Amino acid sequence: MSVPCVAVERERGESVRERLADADVLDGDHEIAVDGDTIYIPVVDPEAVPADLDASIVERDAAERDRPLTPAEILGYEPSLERLGDIVILDEDDDGRAREIADAVMASDVPCETVLNRASPIEGELRVRRWDVLAGTDTETVHREYGHEFLLDVAEVYFSPRLATERHRVIEQVDAGESVVDMFAGVGPYAVPMAARGADVVACDLNERAVEYLRENAARNGVADRVTAVAGDVRDLVGGGGGDAVDYADAVDDADAADRLVMNLPHSADEFLDTAVALAGEECVLHYYDIQHEDDPFGPGTRAIRAAAGDEYAVDVETERVVKSYAPHEYNVCLDVRLTRA
Ligand SMILES: C[S@@+](CC[C@H](N)C(=O)[O-])C[C@H]1O[C@@H](n2cnc3c(N)ncnc32)[C@H](O)[C@@H]1O
């Protein structure tokens, strides 16, 4: 049967396949084929193939795949689950149903070592969640996102695979040579790919375990020389916090002059806007994450940024983006804002 396929040189096959998987366009019902130096990867929607892949799309005969056994086939219903490396994550209130799904996942062909169910909301300053371990034991895994790999332990650090597309949107704006400060960096899903694009990144997090993973992830992805990981309160980067001040000049070459700031701490980023303004250079793009009511999702963030910038910076809101629904009538949003010194 003839199906649309992305055709690329063999040596790029795996990286292109990963990008197509991240973009959710892989056609799992048909076999990938190799012919000479070209690999043909079946896709479900040619229009949704990322334009920057630099690959042609052709119609081609492809053999049907023997379908792997899915949890849905075992259960008779489609369970809601999320994959993080070789961990499967459930969000079930009913313990019996969670157990039933975990058993089906382990009996299926899903490559999985551990099944976890959410046991608490994301909590505390470090934004970590508690888990019920339903199968396996290991909460540490390697997760792949847009060609980069991240080692992390979900029991010790924050990480959400659902934000992959949003992170990629922001990361793609980065140019080589920029100075970036990722103020709430976690295990590095912004910092590492930004450094891979040639930016010099200072990445800060209060969670010491997250910073250990961040250093490891910078090394794994070959960008350790462009990532300076700092464990502590980001306010101390400018000496404004209560702890030992970290000399910002030690952390970035171009002292107190960030070209880009990432503020991914949606519930309380407004409390850190004075720090952001102190870190900004002559011209600086701020990616400000927030959680707000649907009636005015961008207003509170915009007003808070203008208040913090005062007369020091002109504030130009370049993008207002709803990232995802957070709760009934509440959105997780991002403002991309350009600060230009007045
Ligand atoms: C929502 S998570 C985002 C992590 C990462 N950007 C990501 O996308 O996975 C927020 C992070 O901010 C860190 N954090 C909270 N308060 C902080 C502070 N005052 N200074 C630095 N990091 C902080 C937490 O430990 C947590 O890892």
Side-chain angles (χ1 to χ4, degrees):
M1 181 186 169
S2 170
V3 295
C5 294
V6 168
V8 285
E9 318 83 81
R10 272 173 83 160
E11 51 277 17
R12 287 210 295 138
E14 183 49 25
S15 63
V16 169
R17 194 199 62 76
E18 277 183 18
R19 287 287 313 279
L20 295 170
D22 287 336
D24 230 9
V25 287
L26 274 186
D27 173 357
D29 292 337
H30 292 92
E31 295 281 5
I32 293 174
V34 177
D35 190 355
D37 288 338
T38 306
I39 187 161
Y40 296 90
I41 307 172
V43 289
V44 285
D45 180 4
E47 301 285 316
V49 171
D52 65 340
L53 275 185
D54 191 22
S56 49
I57 296 169
V58 297
E59 282 287 326
R60 197 170 192 278
D61 280 344
E64 287 203 18
R65 281 182 73 185
D66 288 339
R67 291 194 57 79
L69 185 62
T70 67
E73 281 158 349
I74 296 169
L75 292 164
Y77 59 86
E78 190 69 60
S80 163
L81 43 87
E82 219 173 331
R83 300 269 299 277
L84 182 71
D86 60 8
I87 297 176
V88 166
I89 292 173
L90 313 182
D91 187 10
E92 294 294 335
D93 293 334
D94 180 326
D95 289 346
R97 185 175 152 106
R99 163 59 50 205
E100 176 180 80
I101 296 172
D103 291 345
V105 168
M106 294 309 281
S108 74
D109 288 327
V110 169
C112 168
E113 293 296 324
T114 307
V115 182
L116 304 176
N117 192 24
R118 292 181 169 95
S120 77
I122 289 173
E123 299 172 319
E125 267 189 317
L126 305 188
R127 314 305 296 142
V128 179
R129 195 191 281 287
R130 281 176 285 122
W131 303 95
D132 287 333
V133 181
L134 300 179
T137 53
D138 197 357
T139 50
E140 184 180 79
T141 191
V142 177
H143 181 70
R144 288 182 180 72
E145 188 169 293
Y146 286 95
H148 295 103
E149 55 179 57
F150 299 95
L151 179 69
L152 64 117
D153 187 331
V154 281
E156 295 192 277
V157 301
Y158 173 92
F159 191 87
S160 172
R162 287 187 202 172
L163 297 177
T165 308
E166 166 58 18
R167 288 194 273 262
H168 189 60
R169 179 189 75 83
V170 168
I171 289 158
E172 280 198 306
Q173 298 175 33
V174 172
D175 290 322
E178 283 188 8
S179 280
V180 176
V181 182
D182 186 352
M183 294 171 63
F184 312 102
V187 301
Y190 288 90
V192 166
M194 285 179 170
R197 288 179 70 90
D200 290 310
V201 184
V202 174
C204 180
D205 204 287
L206 204 50
N207 182 343
E208 288 184 10
R209 285 295 288 146
V211 174
E212 283 169 23
Y213 280 115
L214 169 58
R215 291 197 176 107
E216 159 73 22
N217 291 329
R220 269 176 182 256
N221 292 280
V223 295
D225 56 332
R226 283 201 294 279
V227 176
T228 304
V230 183
D233 188 323
V234 68
R235 287 173 284 215
D236 290 347
L237 281 182
V238 288
D244 289 340
V246 176
D247 186 357
Y248 184 53
D250 282 350
V252 281
D253 291 342
D254 198 3
D256 70 7
D259 301 312
R260 190 177 299 276
L261 297 166
V262 183
M263 298 185 74
N264 183 15
L265 185 64
H267 285 285
S268 45
D270 58 333
E271 295 166 22
F272 295 84
L273 279 167
D274 289 345
T275 302
V277 169
L279 293 173
E282 290 300 301
E283 185 159 314
C284 178
V285 176
L286 177 64
H287 304 285
Y288 179 89
Y289 289 91
D290 202 2
I291 288 173
Q292 292 294 343
H293 195 271
E294 63 186 5
D295 288 348
D296 186 17
F298 306 108
T302 305
R303 288 189 288 278
I305 294 167
R306 288 193 193 286
D311 296 335
E312 209 180 327
Y313 284 94
V315 174
D316 181 18
V317 179
E318 295 188 335
T319 313
E320 294 179 336
R321 180 175 155 82
V322 173
V323 177
K324 63 182 172 83
S325 172
Y326 177 76
H329 309 294
E330 280 192 303
Y331 290 141
N332 178 354
V333 299
C334 183
L335 289 163
D336 296 342
V337 178
R338 187 173 297 275
L339 304 177
T340 309
R341 199 182 290 281

